[in-house]
Amino acid sequence: MDKFVELKRAVETVEIVDTHAHNIVALDSNVPFLGCFSEAKEEDETIDFKRSLKEVAELYGSKLSVDAVQESRQRLGLESSANTCFKAARISALLIDDGLDLDKKLDIKWHEHFAPKVGRILRIEDVAKKILEKGTDGTKWTLDSFMEIFSKELKSYPLNQSIDSRIVYKSYVTVKEAEEGLSEVLCGGNAVRISNKSFLDYIFMHALVVAQSYDLPMQIDTGFGEKDLDLRLANPLNLRNLLEDKRFTKNRLVLLHVSYPFSKEASYLASVYPQVYLDFGLAIPKLRYHRMISSVKELMDFAPMNKVMFSTDGFAFAESFYLGARIAREVVFSVLRDACIDGDLSIPEALAVVKDIFAETAKQFYKLDVSSRYSDVEPHHLSTSFQKEQNDSLTDVTLVRVMWLDFSGQHRCRVIPQQRFNSSVKKDGLGLSVECMGLTSICDNLSEDTWLPASGETRTVPDLSTKCRVPWAKHQEMVLTDMLTEPGKPWHYCPRDVLRRFSKILEDDYGLVMNVGVEVEFYILKTILADDKEVMQSFDRTPYCSTAAIDAASTVLNEIVACLQSLNITIEQIHSESGKGQFEIVLGYTDAITQADNLVYTHEIIKGIARKHGLLATFMPKYSPDGNWPYRDDQSAHDAGSGSHVHISLSKNGENVFTASSDYNRYGMSKFGESFMAGVLSHVRSICVFSCPLPNSYERFETKSWNALFLCWGPETKELTMRTCSPPGMDGAVTNFELRTFDGCANPPLGFAALLVAGIDGLRNNLKIPDPADPEDYNLFDYNDENEDTRLPTSLSCSIIHIFSDEWFLETMGENFLKARRGVCGDEIKYYCECGKDPYSEVMFKY
C-alpha cells in the first residue's frame, strides 16, 4: 500500500474548482437541512444517509444525529460554519447556478468569502421565464418580440462564467413550431411554467449562438440532475445531430452529472466530439458508494481523462459542498488506485489525472485564473477508507497538542499520541478540572475567589476544523478545543463558545458579522552573558520601519511568515516598531470567530519560531516598565509598549456595511457602523477587563506614546483610544475603526466577545457617537485628571470596578462569569502590588 501514499496525498490536497453549485441559504431558511444527506423528507436508514451524517458530525465534533449537527452549525453561525466546510473541502473556485428557487438564498457575492474565485452560471430557462412573467400584465408577445428581449438579456450578463440549460433531447424546430409553443406557454396563465418542448428547443439553439459569440461554455443537464426531466428523453445520444451541426462545432459543451444513468453514452460523446466535456457532480455523493465508483469507472473507460471535471452540486448548505468534495476524493482515489493495480496507469499518470479532474481541466475549459488558497495547508483529515494509512505510513505525525486558553489568556495543552487521538480523543475529548480555568499568570495555584464550581470536570473536545501541523515541530499537530459539559452542550465558561454566542446574537438580531483585523506587536529578545549571568537584551536597536531591522530578523521573519501562510492566515504587512527589537505583523480581516483562532495560532508560531532560533518573543504590554528588571537592557524602560490593536468592521451578506451610504452618513459611517462604534466607546472601560487583562497592561498607557489615555475618538488619529479609518480615495468614507486598548495578553475569544457585547448595546439603543476630539487640542487635556467620565482606567482594579457597575455587561455576560474573571484578576493585582519592582520578570516568558 505504501506506493499509493503519494497518490492518496495528491487526491486529498488538490484544490478543487467546483464547476456547478447553487446558492447557500440563510440559517432561518425553510429549506430542509435533511437535503444535505438525502432527498427523503425525513431521516432514513440507508447506509448512504448514515455515512453522510457521520462525515458532517465528525467535521463539527458533534453527536451523531441531525439535531446535534444543526445545533453545532447554529452555534458556530453561518459564516463560521461555511468557512469550516469550505476550508475542509479545499474549494478554490466556485461557479454558482443561481436559478434554483431557494428560500432566503444569499447572493453570489456573499460566497466570495470562501473561495478566491466565484462566477455565475446563467440558466436560460429562468431568463425566459422572467421575461414572460414581466409581460403577464397584458403584453402581446410574438416570437420575434420575445426573442429580441431574450437576446438582449443573455448579452447583458458579461461576467457569466457559463450558460446552463436543463432541456433534454435537443432537436431542430421550425419558427412555426416555436410560435405555437410560445402560445401554449402563454395560455398557462399568470404562473408561467415553460414546459413546451418546441419553444424550449428554439431558445436553446439561440442561446448556443450567443454563447459562442461571447466565448462562454454551455452546461447541459441531460439526466439525473433534474426532477422535472423525463429520463426516457434524456439519453445524450439525442444530441448527435446538434453536435455535428457545423454552426456549433466551436461551442464548448459540458454534460452535467455524468448524464447518469447514461454514463457510457456521455463518455462516448466526449471521446468522439472535441467540443464535449463531462462533469460528474450530483452523481457524487447521491449514489450509493459502490455505484459511485462504478459510474466514475465507466466514465474513465470511454472518455478522455483530460475532458472530465468535477462539481459538488452543493446547494443551500455549506455542508453539502463539503460532502460532495469529501466523498469525491475518496471515490477518485479508489478508481485510480485500481487502475494502477491493474496496470492501466502508472503512479505519475494517476497524479496528473487527479490535477486534471479536480482543477486543471476546469481552469482551461472555463478560462479561470484561480489563485491557490490552501497551498502548504494540510487537509482537514484523510478519508475514512484510508484511516490506517493516516495512522501509519501516510503521515509521520506522532503527537497531537490538545489546546485551550484559560481566563488569564495562557495557552495550555495536553499532548496525546496520535493513535489515541484518532481512536477516542478527537470524538470524546479529554477531561479537564474546572479549576484549571482559574489559574493565574503568576503561578499555577488556584485563585482564591474565582466563583468557578468547586469541583467537577469539563470535556475539552477538539474542533477538528482547527487541527493542523505544528509548523516548527513537523512530527506534531495542534488543535483547539471546545469545553463541553456533555456531548453537544458547551460549558458556560468556554471562551470560544462565549464568542460564538454573541456572534450569533449579532447575526440573528441584525444580520451582521463582526470582522476583525489585528496589529500583532511583539519584542524579540536574545540572551547574553553579563557579569557571568544570563540576561535578556533587545534583538536590535533599530528605529520604526527600519530596513536594517528586517535584515537582522529576516531568517526568523521569513519562517514565521511561511508558517502563518501554511495555516492559511492572511498577512497584510510586517514592519519593525518603535521599540528596540520590536516588530508588528498585521493580520488581514476575517470574521471574529476565525480571527480569534488565527490570533492564538499566530502567537504560537511567533513564540515557537523564536524559541527554535534561541530567541524569546514576548507579547507583554510593557516587558520592562520600570527599567530595574534583571531581564533587560537599559534602553528597554523607555521603549514603546506592545499592543494588539484591533480593526473592526461590520458586514452583511458579505458587504461592508460600516461605510456611509446615501441613506445615512455621519462622520463617514453608516447607521450600523456609528451605533456599533458608539457602543464600544461607551463600554471601553468594561472591555478592558478582557482586552487589557494584566496589571502590566496599564503600564503601556502613557502620554504621547502612541497609546490612548482618554475616552475619545478621532478620524485617523492614532494617539486616541479609537480612530476611524478612511483609505485613500474614499473621500472620507469610513471602512472600519481601530481600538487601541487591546494587547497580546488577552484571551482572544473573550476580548472579541466583549467588543460584541458593547457593540450590540450600541445597536439596540441606536447610540450616536460623540463629536471627535480635535488632535490639535490634545495637549489641552489634564493628564493628571482622574475624572471617570473622560479617562481610561489607570489600572486593572479600576477596570474591574467599571465592569461591575456596568449593568449591560452584568446582564449579558452574567454576574457569576464576571466574578470568575474577577477572581483571577484579584490574584494578579495582589501579586503586582506586593512584589515590588520585579512583579512580571517571569511572566514575559508566558506571553
Side-chain angles (χ1 to χ4, degrees):
M1 184 63 70
D2 286 350
K3 67 178 181 178
F4 298 118
V5 169
E6 185 181 7
L7 176 61
K8 183 59 181 179
R9 183 161 292 281
V11 171
E12 292 291 345
T13 57
V14 65
E15 296 185 30
I16 290 176
V17 175
D18 187 353
T19 60
H20 188 90
H22 305 276
N23 304 65
I24 292 174
V25 299
L27 282 176
D28 58 348
S29 169
N30 62 18
V31 179
F33 183 61
L34 278 176
C36 273
F37 313 111
S38 169
E39 293 187 352
K41 294 183 179 180
E42 55 186 37
E43 293 189 40
D44 61 44
E45 294 298 316
T46 64
I47 292 174
D48 302 290
F49 177 89
K50 293 179 180 295
R51 173 194 183 90
S52 296
L53 178 60
K54 181 181 178 182
E55 296 286 359
V56 178
E58 286 185 353
L59 177 67
Y60 288 145
S62 69
K63 292 175 65 175
L64 190 60
S65 73
V66 174
D67 288 342
V69 169
Q70 284 188 288
E71 184 179 339
S72 294
R73 67 193 301 271
Q74 289 281 344
R75 186 174 71 248
L76 284 169
L78 183 58
E79 290 207 6
S80 183
S81 62
N83 185 63
T84 296
C85 291
F86 275 82
K87 181 179 178 181
R90 299 172 74 85
I91 294 173
S92 61
L94 184 62
L95 302 185
I96 296 178
D97 171 3
D98 62 352
L100 201 59
D101 187 16
L102 298 170
D103 178 57
K104 297 183 180 179
K105 68 180 180 183
L106 301 169
D107 60 28
I108 289 179
K109 189 170 182 60
W110 181 87
H111 299 73
E112 293 176 357
H113 286 289
F114 313 109
K117 176 69 177 178
V118 178
R120 185 189 186 200
I121 301 168
L122 180 68
R123 284 197 186 192
I124 63 173
E125 294 85 359
D126 290 332
V127 174
K129 181 180 177 181
K130 289 176 181 177
I131 292 171
L132 294 177
E133 284 176 341
K134 291 178 182 177
T136 55
D137 57 357
T139 301
K140 300 297 183 181
W141 288 111
T142 65
L143 185 62
D144 287 339
S145 64
F146 169 80
M147 292 305 297
E148 180 181 357
I149 296 176
F150 181 70
S151 296
K152 288 180 180 178
E153 287 292 319
L154 287 184
K155 294 174 182 178
S156 67
Y157 295 95
L159 298 180
N160 290 336
Q161 295 296 151
S162 178
I163 297 176
D164 175 272
S165 172
R166 293 168 287 166
I167 311 166
V168 299
Y169 192 72
K170 278 56 179 190
S171 61
Y172 293 99
V173 294
T174 65
V175 171
K176 183 179 179 181
E177 288 171 329
E179 288 174 340
E180 291 172 351
L182 174 59
S183 296
E184 180 183 309
V185 171
L186 294 174
C187 288
N190 290 337
V192 175
R193 178 175 174 81
I194 305 177
S195 58
N196 182 275
K197 183 179 181 307
S198 294
F199 180 63
L200 288 173
D201 284 355
Y202 190 81
I203 65 173
F204 169 76
M205 303 289 281
H206 185 77
L208 280 176
V209 175
V210 173
Q212 188 174 133
S213 67
Y214 279 85
D215 194 24
L216 290 174
M218 176 77 85
Q219 297 184 347
I220 304 175
D221 288 0
T222 57
F224 190 53
E226 295 294 333
K227 295 179 182 178
D228 294 340
L229 298 182
D230 184 348
L231 287 182
R232 294 171 299 177
L233 303 176
N235 191 322
L237 292 179
N238 292 316
L239 291 168
R240 290 186 67 180
N241 287 338
L242 181 147
L243 296 174
E244 292 177 359
D245 190 321
K246 292 182 179 180
R247 291 178 298 168
F248 305 122
T249 55
K250 293 184 179 180
N251 280 88
R252 287 175 286 143
L253 307 176
V254 57
L255 305 182
L256 296 179
H257 317 314
V258 171
S259 295
Y260 186 83
F262 303 106
S263 303
K264 289 182 179 179
E265 291 82 353
S267 300
Y268 165 75
L269 292 179
S271 67
V272 173
Y273 297 100
Q275 70 267 46
V276 177
Y277 286 68
L278 302 176
D279 163 279
F280 63 93
L282 192 66
I284 292 182
K286 293 296 184 182
L287 299 178
R288 289 185 177 272
Y289 178 67
H290 292 293
R291 190 70 198 107
M292 295 180 211
I293 292 177
S294 176
S295 181
V296 175
K297 281 186 175 180
E298 283 183 353
L299 197 67
M300 294 185 178
D301 282 343
F302 293 94
M305 284 177 282
N306 64 351
K307 297 182 77 176
V308 178
M309 295 176 281
F310 169 70
S311 65
T312 64
D313 209 64
F315 82 105
F317 310 103
E319 293 79 4
S320 66
F321 292 76
Y322 168 67
L323 285 172
R326 177 87 170 85
I327 298 174
R329 294 182 193 273
E330 192 169 326
V331 169
V332 168
F333 170 73
S334 179
V335 171
L336 293 179
R337 179 189 57 191
D338 290 349
C340 292
I341 292 173
D342 293 340
D344 297 329
L345 291 175
S346 66
I347 293 295
E349 288 172 333
L351 294 174
V353 171
V354 170
K355 292 181 180 179
D356 286 342
I357 287 177
F358 286 113
E360 296 306 319
T361 298
K363 290 179 184 178
Q364 295 174 22
F365 183 81
Y366 293 97
K367 298 185 178 181
L368 298 173
D369 182 13
V370 179
S371 60
S372 174
R373 182 164 187 166
Y374 304 105
S375 58
D376 301 325
V377 179
E378 285 294 305
H380 169 66
H381 62 280
L382 297 171
S383 57
T384 52
S385 68
F386 211 67
Q387 193 66 46
K388 185 177 185 300
E389 283 79 2
Q390 183 184 24
N391 295 335
D392 301 328
S393 61
L394 184 64
T395 177
D396 57 355
V397 170
T398 57
L399 300 171
V400 182
R401 302 182 186 186
V402 180
M403 297 172 56
W404 71 94
L405 271 67
D406 58 22
F407 267 144
S408 66
Q410 292 185 82
H411 299 193
R412 299 181 184 268
C413 74
R414 287 177 176 165
V415 184
I416 309 299
Q418 193 205 40
Q419 186 173 4
R420 185 189 172 212
F421 179 87
N422 287 327
S423 64
S424 63
V425 174
K426 76 173 185 179
K427 179 181 179 181
D428 301 323
L430 297 168
L432 180 70
S433 172
V434 295
E435 290 95 335
C436 288
M437 278 298 287
L439 303 179
T440 72
S441 65
I442 306 303
C443 64
D444 285 340
N445 293 333
L446 298 178
S447 301
E448 294 180 2
D449 186 23
T450 66
W451 279 76
L452 289 168
S455 61
E457 281 193 341
T458 181
R459 303 297 296 181
T460 51
V461 179
D463 175 354
L464 296 179
S465 69
T466 68
K467 184 165 168 281
C468 58
R469 285 272 187 150
V470 178
W472 62 95
K474 295 297 184 182
H475 297 288
Q476 296 183 32
E477 291 179 322
M478 55 186 174
V479 63
L480 301 176
T481 60
D482 293 317
M483 298 176 173
L484 309 180
T485 55
E486 58 185 71
K489 185 176 181 180
W491 187 38
H492 180 68
Y493 296 91
C494 172
R496 298 180 82 231
D497 187 68
V498 172
L499 176 56
R500 279 195 289 263
R501 289 204 308 267
F502 291 112
S503 295
K504 187 174 185 299
I505 290 171
L506 183 67
E507 185 167 4
D508 289 350
D509 292 355
Y510 302 97
L512 299 174
V513 173
M514 184 177 83
N515 297 306
V516 183
V518 186
E519 301 176 10
V520 181
E521 296 176 346
F522 57 96
Y523 276 89
I524 297 179
L525 307 175
K526 60 184 178 182
T527 303
I528 63 169
L529 282 176
D531 299 327
D532 295 327
K533 297 171 63 176
E534 285 190 349
V535 296
M536 301 303 298
Q537 188 177 71
S538 299
F539 182 73
D540 67 28
R541 292 179 173 273
T542 52
Y544 173 73
C545 280
S546 166
T547 56
I550 301 301
D551 288 338
S554 61
T555 302
V556 176
L557 294 177
N558 286 341
E559 195 165 347
I560 288 171
V561 168
C563 291
L564 290 172
Q565 291 177 338
S566 76
L567 269 61
N568 200 33
I569 296 174
T570 302
I571 305 166
E572 292 195 345
Q573 68 176 20
I574 301 172
H575 62 264
S576 63
E577 265 293 351
S578 300
K580 305 302 183 288
Q582 188 185 30
F583 294 87
E584 176 179 300
I585 296 178
V586 180
L587 304 185
Y589 273 97
T590 188
D591 65 276
I593 294 173
T594 302
Q595 192 68 284
D597 293 344
N598 286 351
L599 195 50
V600 172
Y601 279 155
T602 297
H603 281 213
E604 284 289 304
I605 286 170
I606 292 171
K607 292 186 76 70
I609 297 303
R611 279 192 295 268
K612 177 181 174 181
H613 290 272
L615 303 168
L616 172 69
T618 181
F619 301 92
M620 282 288 289
K622 195 73 171 175
Y623 81 89
S624 181
D626 53 20
N628 290 309
W629 291 4
Y631 304 93
R632 52 90 179 166
D633 58 271
D634 292 336
Q635 180 62 36
S636 62
H638 308 290
D639 274 342
S642 292
S644 279
H645 305 156
V646 291
H647 290 253
I648 300 163
S649 67
L650 299 172
S651 64
K652 190 170 189 175
N653 295 329
E655 294 282 349
N656 187 337
V657 295
F658 201 92
T659 305
S661 67
S662 57
D663 296 329
Y664 190 94
N665 185 346
R666 189 162 184 263
Y667 298 119
M669 291 179 277
S670 67
K671 189 172 183 179
F672 279 139
E674 181 188 7
S675 294
F676 192 93
M677 181 177 171
V680 172
L681 183 61
S682 67
H683 292 283
V684 72
R685 291 173 292 192
S686 298
I687 294 170
C688 285
V689 171
F690 298 99
S691 65
C692 299
L694 299 180
N696 176 267
S697 299
Y698 300 82
E699 303 283 354
R700 184 168 67 95
F701 301 149
E702 298 174 340
T703 306
K704 289 297 181 183
S705 62
W706 299 102
N707 292 304
L709 284 174
F710 297 95
L711 292 173
C712 55
W713 74 281
E716 297 291 5
T717 309
K718 292 191 175 185
E719 187 69 15
L720 304 181
T721 302
M722 294 168 67
R723 70 174 176 116
T724 52
C725 303
S726 303
M730 293 288 288
D731 295 327
V734 173
T735 56
N736 63 275
F737 72 90
E738 178 187 10
L739 176 70
R740 304 180 72 79
T741 53
F742 205 108
D743 65 47
C745 296
N747 180 315
L750 294 182
F752 292 169
L755 291 171
L756 281 164
V757 169
I760 289 170
D761 188 41
L763 291 170
R764 75 187 185 105
N765 289 306
N766 293 314
L767 294 184
K768 301 292 184 183
I769 200 81
D771 292 335
D774 183 351
E776 298 299 324
D777 293 338
Y778 190 64
N779 288 321
L780 299 178
F781 283 107
D782 180 0
Y783 297 114
N784 295 314
D785 186 9
E786 294 296 332
N787 188 327
E788 293 294 325
D789 294 328
T790 63
R791 185 167 183 141
L792 286 175
T794 56
S795 67
L796 182 57
S797 300
C798 292
S799 295
I800 293 292
I801 293 170
H802 281 297
I803 202 168
F804 275 91
S805 63
D806 190 323
E807 294 182 1
W808 175 244
F809 265 76
L810 285 168
E811 176 187 342
T812 53
M813 300 198 87
E815 186 173 359
N816 285 346
F817 184 89
L818 295 181
K819 285 180 177 178
R821 172 70 186 125
R822 182 178 64 184
V824 174
C825 292
D827 281 20
E828 304 267 9
I829 294 166
K830 181 179 179 182
Y831 184 86
Y832 192 79
C833 292
E834 294 178 353
C835 212
K837 294 183 178 181
D838 188 17
Y840 275 87
S841 58
E842 295 299 322
V843 177
M844 62 186 289
F845 294 93
K846 301 178 183 180
Y847 295 96

